[in-house]
Amino acid sequence: MIKLDLSNTINPIPFKSYAEEVKKIHKMINEKTGLGNDFLGWTTWPKDYDKEEFARIKEAAKNIRKNYDVLVVAGIGGSYLGARAAIEALKGLYGDDKLEIIFFGNTLSPTYIKQVLTYLENKKFAINVISKSGTTTETSVAFRLLKELLIKKVGKEAASKAIFATTDKARGALKKEADEEGYETFVIPDDIGGRYSVITAVGLLPIACAGCDIDQLMKGCRDAMNDLNNEDIFTNPAYQYAATRDYFYNNNKQVEMFVTYEPQYTQIGEWLKQLFGESEGKDGKGLLPDSVTFTTDLHSLGQFIQEGSHVLFETVVKVDSPLLDLTVPHDEDNLDGLNYLEGKKLSEVNEQAFLGTLKAHVDGGVPNIVLHVEKLDEYNLGYLFYFFMRSCAMSAYLLKINPFNQPGVEIYKKNMFHLLGKPGY
Ligand code: PA5
């Protein structure tokens, strides 16, 4: 399934020195006594999730897949990154699914918004608007524009049936509107923050709409929850990974570069950047999370990683079997000189690129953590999501930081609201 390989960290990680602290933090997470303890709902969610709502998610997905050409998912940050990462990872970027999924409400770009709205004019589309607060500007503005278009196309009644709102169970403008207009609603639990919410309706509805098996995804999460509920750093890979990050942070590394080897996993890097960046980047502390997709980015950032300032280590999420594969064909003329690769699968070529890069970077003094995933199906992805969430909580607590708030995100919003003349700012 998932295997943590720490044989390329250059220096061995002194797990022994972490053992007692990790035990203490493990207890603190499970007993919910640490900083931000009212946001630990995700720890047991894989078994505690609302089964009635889960069935409704599957029904809604069936309805959307049957009756619409496009699902527009309107949400930003934790309210879309996980769903997008999952759908792209599981389906690839150019799958042949009949339902197209468009991510919207994650930008204030007038060009992007206008182009998507124009594209949707002749499409039969449904909307899944996702916002815990119900007031996020990017999402609210996009939703208002989408709704206007939908109502113009199909009328108010049909529009209400095509809108699915994922939001707080009781509070916020979106919940109020959903109740008044009769949209079907799904709940973002009070005790699960945005960046830990991919395993709730936030992620599950879009993922199910993409035709993915959310039962398997939750099973993977559940197995990870059970396997990783273990205080022993010597046998818990999630805590080994957290301690390794902490060790690098304390040994002059400032950047964790997440690496994947196929473009369909690029968004996993985006999800990881938010998970670790928002969880740890506070009080003047934290590793800066960045991400690259190899081999593409070996031709841009590869030079810096190999020979630039030694500020970073890499964490490679290495999927060992691709979704699809093909073979390099024979060419009689061999003008491109590629016949030495003839008959080789592209996955084998990519594998050698991974091995060659790993050796080059480690030889260049860049430590590498490698997380092998046998194949990225729903089960393993659920496992992986939970693995990283558990690691992240441990890692942030090792830094003595609240992993579950994001006070810094509010500052730009206040300035923007003031500049835009929002009442009360
Ligand atoms: O992780 C977080 O909490 C944030 O990224 C939020 O998910 C993001 O700001 C969107 O917030 P909301 O769901 O309230 O619209």
Side-chain angles (χ1 to χ4, degrees):
M1 267 180 313
I2 287 176
K3 199 174 137 273
L4 182 67
D5 174 4
L6 295 175
S7 61
N8 292 288
T9 55
I10 300 180
N11 292 316
I13 312 300
F15 288 143
K16 214 167 159 202
S17 66
Y18 281 95
E20 279 316 303
E21 183 68 2
V22 162
K23 259 187 209 166
K24 248 190 265 164
I25 295 174
H26 176 78
K27 192 161 181 270
M28 197 170 89
I29 294 173
N30 281 2
E31 292 178 0
K32 303 191 177 172
T33 52
L35 290 167
N37 53 7
D38 42 354
F39 281 96
L40 278 160
W42 58 271
T43 54
T44 52
W45 185 253
K47 69 174 168 62
D48 294 343
Y49 66 94
D50 180 341
K51 314 296 180 297
E52 180 274 329
E53 181 184 66
F54 192 79
R56 272 197 308 115
I57 289 173
K58 291 203 275 187
E59 273 313 303
K62 220 188 273 171
N63 161 16
I64 292 167
R65 286 180 66 73
K66 183 163 165 233
N67 295 307
Y68 301 93
D69 302 325
V70 180
L71 171 69
V72 186
V73 177
I76 194 166
S79 289
Y80 95 103
L81 283 163
R84 183 167 182 183
I87 293 168
E88 292 192 4
L90 295 170
K91 293 288 173 179
L93 298 179
Y94 291 93
D96 56 1
D97 200 53
K98 139 181 183 311
L99 183 79
E100 183 182 2
I101 300 191
I102 293 179
F103 292 94
F104 201 60
N106 53 5
T107 174
L108 291 169
S109 158
T111 309
Y112 180 79
I113 292 173
K114 180 83 186 141
Q115 285 184 335
V116 172
L117 291 171
T118 305
Y119 178 77
L120 289 170
E121 265 168 23
N122 299 314
K123 305 274 179 197
K124 198 169 178 209
F125 70 93
I127 304 170
N128 179 201
V129 53
I130 308 173
S131 177
K132 188 170 188 188
S133 61
T135 53
T136 300
T137 315
E138 290 87 340
T139 305
S140 306
V141 168
F143 180 49
R144 181 185 276 208
L145 288 159
L146 266 178
K147 215 171 29 189
E148 185 192 42
L149 173 64
L150 189 59
I151 292 171
K152 207 163 81 194
K153 273 170 63 74
V154 301
K156 210 163 173 357
E157 210 184 310
S160 293
K161 290 203 174 81
I163 298 174
F164 301 81
T166 307
T167 188
D168 189 271
K169 68 174 184 310
R171 285 169 306 207
L174 181 56
K175 173 64 182 161
K176 190 162 172 276
E177 176 178 335
D179 287 346
E180 273 174 30
E181 302 291 350
Y183 311 150
E184 179 160 12
T185 58
F186 299 93
V187 172
I188 309 179
D190 285 343
D191 56 356
I192 302 185
R195 57 192 175 276
Y196 297 80
S197 69
V198 59
I199 57 175
T200 71
V202 171
L204 295 179
L205 179 57
I207 295 170
C209 285
C212 305
D213 184 343
I214 58 172
D215 285 295
Q216 278 302 310
L217 191 127
M218 288 309 276
K219 188 170 184 309
C221 276
R222 210 159 38 246
D223 285 354
M225 176 188 76
N226 293 328
D227 293 351
L228 304 173
N229 187 14
N230 165 14
E231 63 175 18
D232 178 18
I233 192 167
F234 294 103
T235 52
N236 186 336
Y239 293 166
Q240 289 179 354
Y241 170 57
T244 304
R245 302 179 80 251
D246 189 73
Y247 171 80
F248 287 140
Y249 178 69
N250 289 318
N251 284 275
N252 300 321
K253 298 298 180 201
Q254 281 117 46
V255 179
E256 176 174 30
M257 188 64 83
F258 290 106
V259 180
T260 55
Y261 270 82
E262 294 194 60
Q264 79 204 69
Y265 307 134
T266 299
Q267 293 298 321
I268 289 187
E270 296 302 309
W271 180 78
L272 286 166
K273 270 155 54 177
Q274 193 214 10
L275 179 68
F276 285 98
E278 262 189 6
S279 297
E280 290 194 335
K282 48 198 85 148
D283 302 348
K285 298 185 193 171
L287 288 160
L288 170 70
D290 200 355
S291 65
V292 282
T293 307
F294 289 166
T295 59
T296 311
D297 294 329
L298 286 170
H299 299 257
S300 59
L301 280 181
Q303 172 60 37
F304 186 96
I305 297 170
Q306 186 71 47
E307 295 183 333
S309 52
H310 279 207
V311 289
L312 61 90
F313 65 95
E314 291 172 291
T315 297
V316 185
V317 178
K318 176 67 179 57
V319 179
D320 291 327
S321 325
L323 185 62
L324 302 169
D325 211 348
L326 68 167
T327 302
V328 179
H330 172 74
D331 186 319
E332 208 50 55
D333 299 328
N334 195 26
L335 292 176
D336 53 14
L338 280 181
N339 275 356
Y340 79 101
L341 293 178
E342 176 192 333
K344 270 208 188 336
K345 286 185 178 160
L346 270 189
S347 59
E348 291 171 45
V349 180
N350 211 14
E351 180 69 18
Q352 299 316 311
F354 156 66
L355 292 171
T357 306
L358 180 67
K359 180 166 171 11
H361 289 184
V362 172
D363 287 349
V366 180
N368 265 250
I369 301 170
V370 183
L371 198 63
H372 282 279
V373 184
E374 202 184 324
K375 62 175 180 166
L376 207 50
D377 56 11
E378 285 88 339
Y379 177 87
N380 283 346
L381 185 63
Y383 201 105
L384 194 70
F385 278 143
Y386 194 92
F387 172 92
F388 277 119
M389 293 194 289
R390 191 91 200 183
S391 303
C392 184
M394 173 57 70
S395 181
Y397 278 139
L398 283 169
L399 280 179
K400 308 211 176 338
I401 272 173
N402 178 349
F404 308 115
N405 64 358
Q406 54 284 327
V409 180
E410 298 310 311
I411 299 168
Y412 98 90
K413 289 188 194 167
K414 279 194 189 133
N415 290 348
M416 179 178 75
F417 291 154
H418 175 74
L419 291 167
L420 289 168
K422 183 171 176 169
Y425 290 85

